[in-house]
Amino acid sequence: MALHLYNTLSGRIEEFQPLDPRLVRMYACGPTVYDYGHIGNFRTFVAVDLLSRFLRQSGHPVRYVMNITDVDDKIIRNAARDGVTVQQYTAKYYKAFIEDSALLNIRKPEAMPHATDYIAAMGKFVSDLESKGFAYRTEDGSYYFRIAKFKGYGKLSKKDFEGMTDGARVDVDEYEKDSARDFALWKAPKPGEASWDTVIGPGRPGWHLECSVMAMDTQGETLDIHAGGEDLAFPHHENEIAQSEAATGKPFAHFWMHARFLLVEGEKMSKSLGNFYTPRDLILKGYKPSSIRYLLASVPYRNQLNFTFDGLRQAATSVERLRNFRQRLTESTFAEGAHSELQKVATDAAARMKAALDDDLNTAQAQAAIFEMVRAANIAMDAGQMNKPDVAPFLAALEKFDEIFAVLHDDDIPKMQQILEWAKTESREKDISPELLALAGNSGPSDQDVNAKIAEMEQARKAKNFAASDKLRAELASAGILVEITKDGIRWRRK
Ligand code: AMP
Ligand code: ZN
């Protein structure tokens, strides 16, 4: 069987056929780097990563492009608020995104264009749309897309825009879900905020425009697959289609893939509900990157993934079982002898895994197939029924599994140590859990070392050098030692 994928554009599952068998062109909307990415964002990025890995495993050469949205209204506003440039503001979050992706074993896309590198091209694109009659300029120097002129408007989101008012406009990037409005392609400069000079005058690009220009510049006029989270289908992707197809007269993307939103303990993630987590937050709590990846991959991308701490702990157990199984295969001694019946268990599991992924990336079934194999093989090994020549097909099945799920290679400890270091630079020592310290192989300083530091702190306080005392206290905190200063002296305990 070949890969079958749900296509939002057609509203059904279709067999995936690349437009050019020599290269599958994939594009995903990347992060807006105005803050750290949260686990919902990474649910979508892991889903797209799984797709790109599975296409490659199925023999398709893939070129996967993910953009970096390093300019949008929020970024410009925050940069102005902090008195820094857009570039200065986003650098930290871009770096964090790259690190978090590596943490979660998300394969590096072939290209990651930054919106700020394409602003001249965006100005040129708007000018082309204007000359074709699809864009118009308003008094302040902004440009809007005239959706009444684009016949297919609504075809992705299946919204009926009959009776929409020609010329009704909206200039924010996200707007009410059901209204059709001419959307801003280009926004006139605002006093005190960043702007760029282009052939259409000064200003800043609209978010939708950014993706059209970057996708077509890096991948050509028609993509095989365009992906993103479900919230992007409308208006973002609808608007990308309108702009791109108005400019080229060709289909913009053959397949549209949308990952369903992640919930946390059954609720929408939000800072006010206190259920908002980044991968870093979870690692600080002592969860492994491999558990997070495994959990994010465990629910098929079109099903609701309800993130729970229970689920995360189960994911950790699953990864452990797989690692133990592999270790058992590589380290046990097996009887010489011929292939047994058992090797069929391995080859069947590999085949079932492929069939599950071919079925619109049914990751849950692929994981189930590997676990049934592990169970059967463990029973056989306990009974001394596995022979030396049987081992290779099992290792091969695990290898195939891990080419997609990427959790078997045990590199959690260095990754957790990296987050420990980051927490120190961000003054988040107080969030470091004892679990993380223990798992990162860092169980803390000896009592003797702590007492020596406490004595130094006492000295510093006597000399009224409170800055030095605070510094020592912070050092101890980052090593998992809580220091309490009382009127009777300094007390400490381990977190
Ligand atoms: P942003 O950085 O906000 O532009 O979002 C990056 C990607 O994450 C987009 O594809 C969003 O659709 C996706 N996304 C945002 N929140 C969630 C969520 N809770 N679950 C799944 N995907 C999400
Ligand atoms: Zn986009």
Side-chain angles (χ1 to χ4, degrees):
M1 203 171 85
L3 172 64
H4 285 64
L5 206 56
Y6 182 81
N7 185 354
T8 311
L9 186 59
S10 66
R12 47 186 185 80
I13 293 186
E14 292 175 48
E15 180 175 335
F16 175 73
Q17 294 278 6
L19 298 163
D20 173 355
R22 289 166 306 178
L23 191 63
V24 174
R25 293 176 172 83
M26 263 174 80
Y27 180 91
C29 296
T32 307
V33 282
Y34 76 102
D35 203 346
Y36 293 103
H38 56 65
I39 52 173
N41 301 136
F42 283 101
R43 196 263 156 127
T44 293
F45 298 137
V46 165
V48 186
D49 180 56
L50 294 168
L51 172 62
S52 107
R53 285 170 177 265
F54 185 58
L55 284 166
R56 288 172 219 270
Q57 187 179 73
S58 309
H60 293 290
V62 176
R63 180 172 154 78
Y64 171 28
V65 175
M66 176 197 272
N67 77 289
I68 301 292
T69 302
D70 61 352
V71 49
D72 84 335
D73 288 352
K74 279 183 294 227
I75 290 173
I76 291 178
R77 204 191 312 124
N78 291 1
R81 178 199 65 199
D82 296 355
V84 295
T85 63
V86 160
Q87 157 69 22
Q88 283 163 339
Y89 181 78
T90 56
K92 165 172 154 177
Y93 300 115
Y94 171 64
K95 179 168 174 277
F97 173 73
I98 298 295
E99 288 170 2
D100 290 349
S101 299
L103 223 54
L104 297 176
N105 273 349
I106 293 174
R107 212 182 153 281
K108 224 173 171 348
E110 275 61 36
M112 297 184 98
H114 287 55
T116 47
D117 290 331
Y118 285 81
I119 295 186
M122 292 171 195
K124 167 88 175 47
F125 188 88
V126 172
S127 143
D128 289 349
L129 283 178
E130 187 183 26
S131 57
K132 293 189 163 99
F134 287 102
Y136 60 92
R137 189 173 194 272
T138 53
E139 270 165 26
D140 67 347
S142 298
Y143 283 80
Y144 287 82
F145 187 90
R146 180 176 281 124
I147 61 173
K149 187 166 159 73
F150 182 72
K151 291 296 163 259
Y153 198 78
K155 66 182 172 184
L156 181 71
S157 51
K158 314 284 181 291
K159 288 182 188 291
D160 181 4
F161 294 118
E162 272 309 305
M164 64 195 175
T165 352
D166 188 11
R169 293 196 298 267
V170 63
D171 68 355
V172 290
D173 283 334
E174 285 172 89
Y175 48 96
E176 310 135 67
K177 293 291 171 199
D178 291 313
S179 66
R181 297 270 194 281
D182 288 357
F183 57 89
L185 294 161
W186 184 259
K187 303 175 191 189
K190 283 194 192 151
E193 293 189 350
S195 80
W196 287 260
D197 276 315
T198 65
V199 288
I200 54 166
R204 66 217 226 190
W207 170 41
H208 316 305
L209 174 73
E210 295 180 9
C211 277
S212 284
V213 171
M214 287 186 276
M216 292 200 285
D217 189 82
T218 53
Q219 297 282 46
E221 292 174 336
T222 303
L223 301 161
D224 283 290
I225 304 170
H226 192 314
E230 62 174 341
D231 61 321
L232 299 190
F234 185 82
H236 185 53
H237 290 161
E238 196 72 63
N239 291 352
E240 281 189 41
I241 291 178
Q243 299 160 152
S244 307
E245 299 189 357
T248 66
K250 297 186 186 140
F252 178 42
H254 183 182
F255 275 82
W256 286 86
M257 175 205 195
H258 291 104
R260 187 110 186 251
F261 255 35
L262 166 145
L263 299 182
V264 175
E265 310 277 357
E267 298 200 76
K268 201 176 161 193
M269 197 169 13
S270 84
K271 292 207 164 131
S272 60
L273 287 174
N275 66 356
F276 184 95
Y277 301 112
T278 66
R280 285 160 200 252
D281 294 331
L282 299 175
I283 294 169
L284 286 174
K285 287 179 184 295
Y287 297 98
K288 294 179 180 179
S290 56
S291 315
I292 304 170
R293 178 174 171 101
Y294 191 89
L295 178 60
L296 294 179
S298 65
V299 174
Y301 74 96
R302 282 204 300 134
N303 294 5
Q304 191 102 66
L305 167 57
N306 183 23
F307 178 94
T308 63
F309 284 94
D310 231 16
L312 192 51
R313 283 185 286 270
Q314 280 169 30
T317 311
S318 301
V319 172
E320 236 16 70
R321 275 190 69 198
L322 291 172
R323 288 179 181 176
N324 290 340
F325 175 67
R326 192 177 57 174
Q327 194 177 9
R328 189 173 184 192
L329 283 177
T330 52
E331 293 179 6
S332 311
T333 5
F334 295 99
E336 299 293 337
H339 272 300
S340 74
E341 285 288 290
L342 212 53
Q343 66 166 332
K344 197 167 169 313
V345 172
T347 48
D348 280 356
R352 280 170 51 216
M353 209 160 64
K354 175 168 171 9
L357 294 172
D358 273 336
D359 181 12
D360 199 22
L361 299 174
N362 193 331
T363 47
Q365 271 188 22
Q367 291 181 347
I370 207 82
F371 273 99
E372 279 165 37
M373 176 191 93
V374 170
R375 195 175 315 119
N378 273 327
I379 292 171
M381 280 193 272
D382 292 344
Q385 287 164 350
M386 191 177 296
N387 293 338
K388 220 178 204 169
D390 296 327
V391 173
F394 283 96
L395 285 174
L398 280 178
E399 199 50 47
K400 281 258 174 244
F401 176 85
D402 210 45
E403 279 172 18
I404 311 296
F405 290 95
V407 292
L408 285 179
H409 184 62
D410 189 358
D411 54 1
D412 289 316
I413 291 174
K415 287 175 172 173
M416 294 174 98
Q417 279 167 347
Q418 187 192 330
I419 296 301
L420 266 178
E421 288 311 310
W422 165 81
K424 290 176 195 165
T425 62
E426 290 291 313
S427 308
R428 286 194 62 180
E429 285 95 343
K430 63 175 183 347
D431 298 332
I432 297 173
S433 64
E435 288 82 1
L436 172 59
L437 290 173
L439 280 168
N442 186 351
S443 48
S446 67
D447 283 9
Q448 213 182 348
D449 289 347
V450 177
N451 284 327
K453 288 254 189 249
I454 297 285
E456 266 183 67
M457 261 183 88
E458 275 166 345
Q459 288 271 319
R461 297 181 65 79
K462 254 193 213 134
K464 303 245 181 285
N465 186 353
F466 296 109
S469 161
D470 286 348
K471 190 160 171 276
L472 286 160
R473 186 182 198 167
E475 270 173 39
L476 285 164
S478 67
I481 307 295
L482 290 179
V483 174
E484 202 187 335
I485 300 170
T486 71
K487 58 179 180 359
D488 306 323
I490 301 181
R491 281 206 294 257
W492 65 269
R493 63 184 169 83
R494 289 176 198 275
K495 259 202 226 177

